[in-house]
């Protein structure tokens, strides 16, 4: 059995990928440098804006907003959690890395959504597109997240931009899949009724498909945000700032306490973002 397999010539896939990556890096270096500059300026601008907000004002604004989205249920639980959670982060001197992490998540999630929703629509409208994009999404979701750091560093160096690049690759698939699923689940009777009234494809998409598929799309967006957050620690390995860097530093120095506190900060941020996303989704559903 071994001899039969040995007849086939060795295919140097690793060397081929290496050559392709080097070629792309050299040939497209002006493009990657431009993306690096734009991404760095965008992230720095958002981070400076968030850090310029007084912590007390940020805490009160988040708590009031949480109460506003729960005002009909007269529930104060989320507001109380936000006050205690953000106070804890400030008390533990994690406010600056907290804002770095928040800006990284906001930018990577927004870019994932901006790219993911149109790709999901294309998949839903074309079986050929679905047959092409679906294996790519499978590849993106099954490949270990650490592997994405290698091309990210090759193209963009170290810093926050390669962290965002790796986060987008890892977090993009749920938005694409759920958008595709939601639109394909629109009842055919409604689509036929829209056709009978002479609706164009654009009118059906805007007035029928997206409103009906909205809850499913929002579920995918929520997963994308959570996956972006899960990349915080991994992205810190290539220089991305934030709470992940504190966790990584504590791991390298075997500082259990510091690692636990920084990890708790990530958990608090994850709970706040998740609850906000769920409440806003329900609020929009009721309006529709």
């Amino acid at each position: 059995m071994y001899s039969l397999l040995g007849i086939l010539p060795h295919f140097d896939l690793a060397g081929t990928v290496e050559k392709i990556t080097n070629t792309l890096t050299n040939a497209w270096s002006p493009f990657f440098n431009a993306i690096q500059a734009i991404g760095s300026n965008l992230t720095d601008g958002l981070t400076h804006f968030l850090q310029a907000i007084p912590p007390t004002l940020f805490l009160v604004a988040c708590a009031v907003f949480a109460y506003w989205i729960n005002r009909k249920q007269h529930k104060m639980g989320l507001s109380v959690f936000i006050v205690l959670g953000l106070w804890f982060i400030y008390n533990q001197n994690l406010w600056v890395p907290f804002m770095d992490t928040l800006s990284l998540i906001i930018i990577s999630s927004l870019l994932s959504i901006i790219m993911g929703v149109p790709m999901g629509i294309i998949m839903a409208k074309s079986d050929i597109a679905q047959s092409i994009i679906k294996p790519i999404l499978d590849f993106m979701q099954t490949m270990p997240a650490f592997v994405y750091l290698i091309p990210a560093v090759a193209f963009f160096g170290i810093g926050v931009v390669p962290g965002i690049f790796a986060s987008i690759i890892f977090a993009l698939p749920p938005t694409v899949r759920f958008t595709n699923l939601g639109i394909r689940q629109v009842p055919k009777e409604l689509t036929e009724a829209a056709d009978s009234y002479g609706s164009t494809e654009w009118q059906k998409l805007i007035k029928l498909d997206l409103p009906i598929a909205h809850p499913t799309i929002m579920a995918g967006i929520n997963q994308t945000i959570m996956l972006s957050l899960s990349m915080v620690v991994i992205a810190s390995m290539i220089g991305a700032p934030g709470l992940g860097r504190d966790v990584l530093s504590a791991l390298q120095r075997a500082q259990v306490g510091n690692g636990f506190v920084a990890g708790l900060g990530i958990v608090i941020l994850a709970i706040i973002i998740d609850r906000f996303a769920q409440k806003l989704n329900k609020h929009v559903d009721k309006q529709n």
Side-chain angles (χ1 to χ4, degrees):
M1 185 67 182
Y2 176 80
S3 61
L4 288 176
L5 292 176
I7 294 174
L8 298 174
H10 171 69
F11 176 60
D12 187 12
L13 179 60
T16 303
V17 173
E18 192 81 24
K19 289 178 182 177
I20 293 173
T21 304
N22 291 334
T23 302
L24 287 175
T25 304
N26 295 327
W28 290 71
S29 59
F31 172 74
F32 293 132
N33 291 336
I35 296 293
Q36 166 82 344
I38 294 171
S40 297
N41 291 332
L42 185 64
T43 308
D44 291 343
L46 180 59
T47 303
H48 291 154
F49 171 75
L50 291 173
Q51 291 179 354
I53 301 173
T56 304
L57 178 60
F58 186 87
L59 186 153
V60 171
C62 290
V64 170
F65 182 65
Y67 177 75
W68 179 77
I69 59 179
N70 284 305
R71 62 190 184 283
K72 291 185 179 178
Q73 292 81 21
H74 302 290
K75 294 182 179 178
M76 296 286 292
L78 182 58
S79 297
V80 173
F81 177 82
I82 288 173
V83 170
L84 295 177
L86 294 183
W87 172 82
F88 171 80
I89 289 171
Y90 181 79
N91 179 262
Q92 298 299 311
N93 297 320
L94 294 174
W95 194 259
V96 172
F98 174 80
M99 288 302 176
D100 288 333
T101 303
L102 184 59
S103 63
L104 189 150
I105 294 170
I106 290 174
I107 292 176
S108 60
S109 299
L110 279 178
L111 292 176
S112 298
I113 294 166
I114 290 171
M115 290 186 287
V117 172
M119 287 176 65
I121 293 173
I122 293 172
M123 282 183 68
K125 297 298 182 180
S126 169
D127 291 335
I128 296 175
Q130 179 177 245
S131 64
I132 296 172
I133 297 175
K134 189 177 179 181
I136 298 174
L137 297 178
D138 294 338
F139 176 84
M140 292 166 66
Q141 286 191 297
T142 53
M143 181 66 75
F146 286 97
V147 178
Y148 298 140
L149 302 183
I150 301 172
V153 171
F155 295 150
F156 302 109
I158 60 173
V160 67
V161 173
I164 293 174
F165 176 81
S167 299
I168 290 174
I169 295 176
F170 187 65
L172 179 65
T175 296
V176 181
R177 290 187 189 279
F178 278 72
T179 301
N180 175 40
L181 177 66
I183 294 177
R184 285 182 178 271
Q185 287 180 335
V186 173
K188 291 183 179 178
E189 294 80 6
L190 294 179
T191 303
E192 291 172 357
D195 290 334
S196 67
Y197 281 100
S199 300
T200 63
E201 289 297 324
W202 178 253
Q203 288 173 328
K204 284 194 293 184
L205 176 65
I206 298 299
K207 297 183 178 180
L208 177 65
D209 294 340
L210 290 180
I212 292 178
H214 171 262
T216 307
I217 296 172
M218 286 303 297
I221 290 175
N222 192 27
Q223 285 196 19
T224 290
I225 295 172
M226 291 297 106
L227 288 177
S228 296
L229 185 58
S230 71
M231 283 291 291
V232 165
V233 178
I234 297 175
S236 68
M237 298 175 67
I238 52 175
L243 294 169
R245 180 181 289 178
D246 289 2
V247 174
L248 182 64
S249 176
L251 176 65
Q252 292 170 338
R253 300 175 184 177
Q255 296 175 332
V256 180
N258 290 339
F260 176 77
V261 170
L264 201 55
I266 295 174
V267 172
I268 291 170
L269 178 58
I271 293 174
I272 293 173
I273 293 176
D274 180 64
R275 296 299 182 273
F276 273 155
Q278 289 184 15
K279 293 296 180 182
L280 288 175
N281 186 22
K282 291 180 181 177
H283 182 71
V284 173
D285 281 347
K286 289 179 181 178
Q287 286 186 335
N288 290 335

